[in-house]
């Protein structure tokens, strides 16, 4: 059995804690590895290493070009292991091999993007009224605590690790206990890249212990968290201990508005992609379909016809289009929400069951599920289910579509489908979300800022915004006339 190790100060280490956790393949329930559960003290020791390494300047004070060389090297090594990384990701998370391949490719691109970006001459200068020359410079924040969820383990990690390292921070990284496999592989790659020891550190174990220790530590200068809104709130509270910077990428319940003048097939197609991609375990999932009443019946029926044909199964199996639910607890959460939807009076128009035939009983699989006759107060419309469950509402006019779209505490993503360009633009501008599409869904790339309004988070990942999260901004005022100011009389 593989025993995973943590990585600190350039070495692979275990934990004193006798309790270990099992890492599971959710398509088969097979145990992939045994993982250590670091103690609070061990986490604090790893944070100390990161702090000492930051202060030593081996990383924070070398040139951006030198840091970029390491990041390009890491990207190249990831590219060499692209296939292996995709298989590992699919086995541990349950997603299809194709989805995993896209994740790995995007993760590599992200490292290359930040390597390039950090080499770009940056900073500003200004003439000040006091005969000063002013400069605005960016500096690394210090120790970055990075915490990611289980739905896109490698990709979410890369969205944080690449900009944090590019900016000159040292890092303490914590994956979800459920999905550490691809991250251990990434740290093997980082180790082989020759990154100075202590710059990148990996700690494994429980979020409630390690995540909490990172969030409350006075030696961590920024905590960047991706996960649920409720844990994000705990992170924010703990981070107040030393007023560290925070970056929070949280949950969503995103609206996908379909007007009657939309290209019908395109809208149905993207609506399916919006909710069932990643088995709906996607923060930006289009989990609320808001469809114009004139096409409602026809839309629902075409949507269900296509949902029926989605091939659900083990992610590594040829031809499978929707993979497993990542854990038993997530499976139960999804099934509980389906029960709640029924109890609250919504119509279960399709699906709603765990799949337990043809070998699928060996893992955690749920049918693509469709609820109709839903209303805004229902929990299946308000709360993030994080599974292949969509709620379809109808609307009469533009104003009602916007009202329904914004009627949740979340504000992560959203889309509008219409062939009337002006209307689509008008409506999308009123949707209170940070990531939006017109006549599309989910497509994005590392150059554009990713993040949410309202309870979907604080700050932005990716693009230049994503780099700035990991930087402090300093003004330097240089006196051009070095003589006394004579404010006080002699
Ligand atoms: P989660 O339960 O909030 O966990 C996220 C991470 O936080 C995990 O590594 C978890 O560790 C850790 N954690 C748990 N308790 C903690 C605590 N008290 N302090 C600090 N860290 C703690 O979320 P999840 O169930 O893994 O992931 C699903 C959620 O992530 C969804 O809400 C989804 O929308 C969100 N998400 C958002 C984005 C975005 O870009 N906005 C992207 C992807 C996912 P353990 O798992 O080891 O306990
Ligand atoms: Mg969790």
């Amino acid at each position: 059995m593989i025993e995973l190790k943590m990585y600190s100060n350039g070495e692979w280490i275990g934990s004193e804690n006798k309790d270990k956790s099992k890492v599971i393949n959710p398509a088969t329930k097979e145990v992939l590895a045994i993982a250590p559960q670091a103690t609070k003290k061990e986490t604090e020791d790893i944070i100390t290493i990161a702090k000492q390494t930051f202060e030593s300047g081996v990383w924070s004070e070398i040139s951006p070009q030198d840091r970029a060389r390491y990041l390009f090297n890491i990207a190249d090594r990831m590219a060499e292991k692209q296939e292996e990384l995709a298989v590992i990701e699919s086995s541990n998370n349950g997603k299809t091999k194709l989805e995993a391949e896209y994740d790995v490719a995007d993760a590599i691109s992200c490292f290359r993007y930040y390597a390039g970006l950090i080499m770009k001459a940056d900073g500003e200068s200004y003439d000040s009224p006091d005969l000063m020359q002013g400069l605005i410079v960016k500096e690394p924040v210090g120790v970055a605590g990075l915490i990611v969820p289980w739905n896109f383990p490698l990709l979410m990690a890369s969205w944080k690790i690449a900009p944090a390292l590019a900016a000159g921070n040292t890092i303490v990284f914590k994956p979800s206990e459920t999905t550490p496999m691809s991250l251990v592989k990434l740290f093997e790659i980082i180790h082989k890249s020759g990154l100075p020891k202590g710059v990148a550190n990996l700690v494994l174990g429980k979020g409630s212990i390690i995540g909490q220790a990172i969030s409350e530590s006075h030696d961590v200068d920024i905590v960047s968290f991706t996960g649920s809104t409720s844990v994000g709130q705990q992170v924010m509270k703990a981070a107040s201990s030393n007023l560290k910077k925070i970056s929070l990428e949280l949950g969503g319940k995103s609206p996908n508005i379909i007007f009657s003048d939309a290209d019908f097939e395109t809208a149905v197609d993207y609506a399916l992609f919006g909710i069932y991609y990643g088995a709906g375990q996607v923060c930006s999932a289009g989990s609320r379909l808001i469809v114009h009443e004139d096409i409602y019946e026809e839309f629902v029926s075409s949507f269900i016809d296509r949902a029926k044909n989605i091939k659900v199964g083990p992610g590594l199996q040829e031809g499978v289009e929707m993979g497993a639910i990542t854990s038993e607890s997530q499976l139960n959460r999804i099934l509980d929400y389906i029960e709640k939807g029924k109890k609250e009076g919504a119509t279960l128009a399709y699906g709603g069951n765990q799949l337990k035939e043809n070998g699928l009983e060996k893992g955690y699989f749920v049918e693509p599920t469709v609820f109709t006759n839903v209303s805004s107060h229902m929990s299946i419309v308000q709360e993030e289910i994080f599974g292949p469950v969509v709620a379809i509402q109808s609307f009469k006019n533009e104003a009602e579509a916007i009202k329904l779209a914004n009627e949740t505490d979340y504000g992560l993503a959203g889309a509008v489908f219409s062939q009337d360009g002006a209307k689509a633009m008008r409506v999308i501008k009123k949707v209170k979300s940070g990531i939006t599409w017109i006549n599309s869904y989910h497509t994005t790339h590392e150059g554009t800022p990713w993040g949410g309004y309202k309870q979907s988070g604080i700050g932005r990942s990716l693009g230049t915004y994503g780099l700035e999260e990991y930087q402090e901004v300093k003004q330097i005022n240089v006196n051009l006339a070095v003589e006394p100011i004579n404010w006080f009389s002699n």
Side-chain angles (χ1 to χ4, degrees):
M1 180 57 57
I2 301 172
E3 279 226 26
L4 301 181
K5 295 260 195 234
M6 306 191 280
Y7 184 72
S8 168
N9 210 17
E11 285 171 18
W12 294 98
I13 58 170
S15 165
E16 279 180 0
N17 188 355
K18 298 268 178 297
D19 286 337
K20 314 235 179 266
S21 61
K22 286 181 184 156
V23 184
I24 306 289
N25 177 339
T28 59
K29 299 185 199 167
E30 150 206 17
V31 180
L32 295 169
I34 302 292
Q37 293 185 357
T39 61
K40 182 167 190 234
K41 169 76 172 57
E42 287 165 341
T43 307
E44 287 166 348
D45 290 346
I46 293 175
I47 293 170
T48 302
I49 296 286
K51 183 182 162 78
Q52 288 166 349
T53 309
F54 181 78
E55 286 171 356
S56 77
V58 289
W59 186 248
S60 55
E61 291 172 19
I62 65 173
S63 72
Q65 286 70 17
D66 283 336
R67 291 202 295 267
R69 267 198 300 118
Y70 283 103
L71 295 183
F72 278 125
N73 186 300
I74 292 168
D76 290 347
R77 287 170 187 274
M78 287 169 79
E80 281 167 22
K81 305 255 179 222
Q82 206 155 350
E83 169 72 11
E84 187 184 349
L85 281 166
V87 171
I88 291 173
E89 196 74 326
S90 172
S91 316
N92 192 181
N93 165 278
K95 64 178 65 199
T96 67
K97 171 99 180 302
L98 184 66
E99 288 169 358
E101 282 166 357
Y102 273 102
D103 290 2
V104 177
D106 287 352
I108 295 167
S109 259
C110 182
F111 272 92
R112 292 190 172 137
Y113 173 81
Y114 281 109
L117 187 64
I118 203 65
M119 289 196 291
K120 175 177 167 288
D122 196 12
E124 293 165 62
S125 84
Y126 56 94
D127 299 331
S128 128
D130 313 310
L131 254 193
M132 300 261 183
Q133 185 64 47
L135 302 172
I136 301 172
V137 299
K138 312 270 180 69
E139 297 180 350
V141 184
V143 176
L146 311 177
I147 303 170
V148 302
W150 45 258
N151 63 335
F152 289 86
L154 183 69
L155 188 59
M156 293 301 106
S158 302
W159 286 14
K160 295 188 191 305
I161 295 175
L165 290 182
N169 302 279
T170 58
I171 64 167
V172 176
F173 176 81
K174 183 222 163 324
S176 168
E177 192 185 19
T178 314
T179 52
M181 299 301 286
S182 58
L183 285 322
V184 169
K185 198 78 211 164
L186 176 64
F187 273 78
E188 283 174 27
I189 288 169
I190 289 175
H191 178 68
K192 290 199 179 120
S193 77
L195 195 76
K197 62 187 174 96
V199 173
N201 305 281
L202 169 71
V203 52
L204 300 175
K206 293 210 171 300
S208 52
I209 310 267
I210 300 173
Q212 181 70 22
I214 290 172
S215 306
E216 69 190 16
S217 168
H218 285 225
D219 290 334
V220 172
D221 304 289
I222 170 171
V223 61
S224 176
F225 170 86
T226 299
S228 61
T229 293
S230 62
V231 177
Q233 286 168 326
Q234 291 174 43
V235 167
M236 191 167 172
K237 254 185 224 149
S240 72
S241 64
N242 66 335
L243 284 174
K244 61 174 66 66
K245 280 187 92 172
I246 49 170
S247 169
L248 302 174
E249 296 284 351
L250 308 177
K253 190 77 190 178
S254 300
N256 191 355
I257 303 169
I258 319 284
F259 281 97
S260 54
D261 58 8
D263 181 273
F264 189 80
E265 283 192 10
T266 303
V268 173
D269 191 60
Y270 271 105
L272 287 161
F273 182 55
I275 182 61
Y276 298 132
Y277 167 72
Q281 303 173 112
V282 177
C283 55
S284 52
S287 49
R288 292 185 296 137
L289 276 169
I290 300 172
V291 182
H292 192 269
E293 59 180 9
D294 287 353
I295 56 162
Y296 186 82
E297 296 300 331
E298 191 192 353
F299 186 93
V300 168
S301 118
S302 298
F303 184 90
I304 290 175
D305 281 347
R306 290 215 34 206
K308 281 180 186 163
N309 289 331
I310 294 176
K311 289 171 204 69
V312 184
L316 290 175
Q317 197 171 296
E318 193 80 27
V320 162
E321 297 173 317
M322 192 174 104
I325 302 305
T326 305
S327 67
E328 187 174 7
S329 62
Q330 188 59 24
L331 171 80
N332 290 332
R333 179 188 162 91
I334 295 166
L335 297 175
D336 283 352
Y337 268 111
I338 292 171
E339 281 315 304
K340 252 193 220 173
K342 291 194 266 186
K343 279 205 191 97
E344 286 173 349
T347 303
L348 178 61
Y350 181 70
N353 301 301
Q354 182 182 356
L355 289 162
K356 293 181 183 170
E357 280 167 16
N358 303 322
L360 299 191
E361 67 284 357
K362 292 196 195 113
Y364 312 125
F365 296 93
V366 173
E367 282 177 297
T369 296
V370 179
F371 276 108
T372 55
N373 288 319
V374 297
S375 50
S376 289
H377 70 272
M378 292 179 182
S379 54
I380 56 163
V381 179
Q382 289 302 322
E383 295 168 26
E384 184 183 47
I385 300 172
F386 222 56
V389 182
V390 73
I392 316 187
Q393 289 168 282
S394 76
F395 70 93
K396 287 184 171 38
N397 55 40
E398 210 174 299
E400 191 188 10
I402 294 163
K403 181 171 174 287
L404 291 173
N406 290 330
E407 237 169 27
T408 76
D409 292 334
Y410 291 111
L412 191 61
V416 172
F417 283 80
S418 166
Q419 296 200 80
D420 175 344
K423 179 169 70 183
M425 193 68 197
R426 217 162 45 229
V427 173
I428 207 71
K429 286 189 72 174
K430 292 253 168 84
V431 172
K432 294 196 174 68
S433 296
I435 307 152
T436 63
W437 296 274
I438 291 176
N439 295 322
S440 184
Y441 212 94
H442 278 324
T443 52
T444 184
H445 64 93
E446 64 279 339
T448 52
W450 178 276
Y453 287 19
K454 302 197 284 186
Q455 294 189 28
S456 289
I458 298 177
R460 292 291 179 273
S461 299
L462 302 180
T464 53
Y465 297 85
L467 184 65
E468 284 167 8
E469 300 274 313
Y470 299 97
Q471 292 176 316
E472 287 286 11
V473 179
K474 178 182 279 176
Q475 54 167 296
I476 303 176
N477 297 289
V478 183
N479 197 343
L480 300 182
V482 183
E483 52 193 37
I485 189 168
N486 286 326
W487 183 271
F488 298 108
S489 54
N490 287 323

